[in-house]
Amino acid sequence: MGVLDGKVAVIAGGTSGIGARIAERFVEAGACVTIASPFAEEGEALAAKLGPKAQFRRADVADEAEVKALVDGAVSGFGRLDCMVNNAGIAGRFGSVAALDLAQYERTLAVVLRGVVLGTKHAASAMLRQGSGSIVNTGSVAGSRAGYGPYDYSAAKAAVIHFTRCVAMELGEKGVRANSISPGGIVTPIFAKALGLPPEEVGRTFAPLESALAKWHPIPRAGRPDDIAEAALFLASDASSFVNGHDLVVDGGLVAGRSWAAQRAATAELMAALKPGPAR
Ligand SMILES: NC(=O)c1ccc[n+]([C@@H]2O[C@H](COP(=O)([O-])OP(=O)(O)OC[C@H]3O[C@@H](n4cnc5c(N)ncnc54)[C@H](O)[C@@H]3O)[C@@H](O)[C@H]2O)c1
């Protein structure tokens, strides 16, 4: 028996990386899932791999009509909607604020923030009708700490976290919960896509990512899609029935502070500077 037996979920941005792993874990846990993204080939292949409990629907989360059709399709196909995971994302673009490309900024906000807002709006409409449901929005450590992403991406993620918190205040009293998950550095294709690498190059980036991201976290390893999928599973399930308006940070301790090794190195440097020595 799975913790999501009988439940119906939609995972927007569910065809790659973190979203694909969430879809796999939800199906393993007993849910029927609709995965969505603009990429039909990738989505159809994943749905086929997941079996009869999964279906793919093409949707761009920045397009309200497509998001509404996505939610309506899940409700009419499966009879209800228990969990909406708004996970779609693109990486944004690094650069000086003085040279900000406004068209790029608006596209990042359209996917990362507007996509979450639209997914939340249409899921809430269905969930309020049935009086239950769990909305899970993907934030980021870049939304609460400066220096972990480009301006467009970081601003959008900060807004996702706070939007989710605000929505939770309204929906909680009506049986619908809303929470976000903020991943640390997770090994996924998002980095290769940001560099414009072709799909056949993505796998090659995983080993160097593992080593580079391990340096970010007080738990000295890269994050894995599984780490986030387990958090999503908890928030989707009844095990989290009293968790609402929370940002579940899954980052090996990054947001909590400086790693023990970095702290020791900095303290040693400080002590060395204070040691008595020849007058300067
Ligand atoms: N990988 C990390 O280190 C990391 C860290 C913090 C947050 N995140 C967030 O996790 C989420 C998943 O990212 P990932 O790392 O798995 O990357 P990914 O590129 O593998 O997955 C992104 C997903 O979003 C989909 N998507 C992109 N544009 C879309 C659109 N317009 N409409 C619908 N779907 C769209 C993609 O098809 C894909 O399924 C994103 O929101 C990302 O910002 C990732």
Side-chain angles (χ1 to χ4, degrees), residues 12-19 36-39 42 59-62 86-90 107 111-112 138-141 153 157 182-191 193 213 216:
T15 62
S16 160
I18 291 169
S37 85
F39 307 108
E42 182 176 84
D60 179 341
V61 293
N86 294 304
N87 175 70
I90 53 177
R107 180 59 194 158
V111 177
V112 176
T138 305
S140 169
V141 292
Y153 181 84
K157 289 298 189 183
S182 281
I186 314 295
V187 177
T188 74
I190 200 168
F191 300 94
K193 290 178 192 170
L213 292 176
W216 285 21

Side-chain angles (χ1 to χ4, degrees), residues 18-242:
I18 291 169
R21 187 59 192 140
I22 292 174
E24 284 173 356
R25 286 298 287 126
F26 278 23
V27 168
E28 283 165 15
C32 291
V33 304
T34 302
I35 52 174
S37 85
F39 307 108
E41 203 179 319
E42 182 176 84
E44 297 288 8
L46 179 60
K49 185 177 146 203
L50 294 177
K53 287 192 145 200
Q55 63 176 22
F56 168 73
R57 187 166 188 122
R58 213 209 72 84
D60 179 341
V61 293
D63 183 314
E64 179 156 23
E66 292 187 15
V67 175
K68 182 174 185 320
L70 169 65
V71 171
D72 289 351
V75 173
S76 61
F78 296 110
R80 54 186 296 108
L81 178 62
D82 299 293
C83 181
M84 178 83 193
V85 183
N86 294 304
N87 175 70
I90 53 177
R93 189 174 299 165
F94 272 108
S96 164
V97 69
L100 199 66
D101 174 342
L102 223 33
Q104 169 68 38
Y105 173 85
E106 276 160 12
R107 180 59 194 158
T108 304
L109 258 75
V111 177
V112 176
L113 177 57
R114 182 181 155 94
V116 167
V117 171
L118 291 176
T120 301
K121 171 182 169 178
H122 290 286
S125 164
M127 290 172 177
L128 287 171
R129 280 196 299 277
Q130 72 193 22
S132 66
S134 170
I135 296 169
V136 180
N137 295 332
T138 305
S140 169
V141 292
S144 57
R145 282 292 176 280
Y148 287 94
Y151 290 121
D152 49 2
Y153 181 84
S154 304
K157 289 298 189 183
V160 164
I161 295 166
H162 197 56
F163 170 76
T164 306
R165 203 179 277 136
C166 295
V167 162
M169 299 305 103
E170 177 196 347
L171 301 185
E173 65 184 55
K174 293 159 189 148
V176 179
R177 299 180 294 113
N179 296 285
S180 54
I181 298 174
S182 281
I186 314 295
V187 177
T188 74
I190 200 168
F191 300 94
K193 290 178 192 170
L195 291 174
L197 298 182
E200 61 274 15
E201 280 283 288
V202 168
R204 182 190 60 72
T205 65
F206 288 171
L209 265 176
E210 286 269 359
S211 323
L213 292 176
K215 299 191 181 113
W216 285 21
H217 308 121
I219 291 177
R221 70 162 171 85
R224 300 171 189 128
D226 228 19
D227 296 314
I228 310 307
E230 290 303 318
L233 191 62
F234 169 66
L235 291 175
S237 77
D238 296 337
S240 61
S241 63
F242 202 48

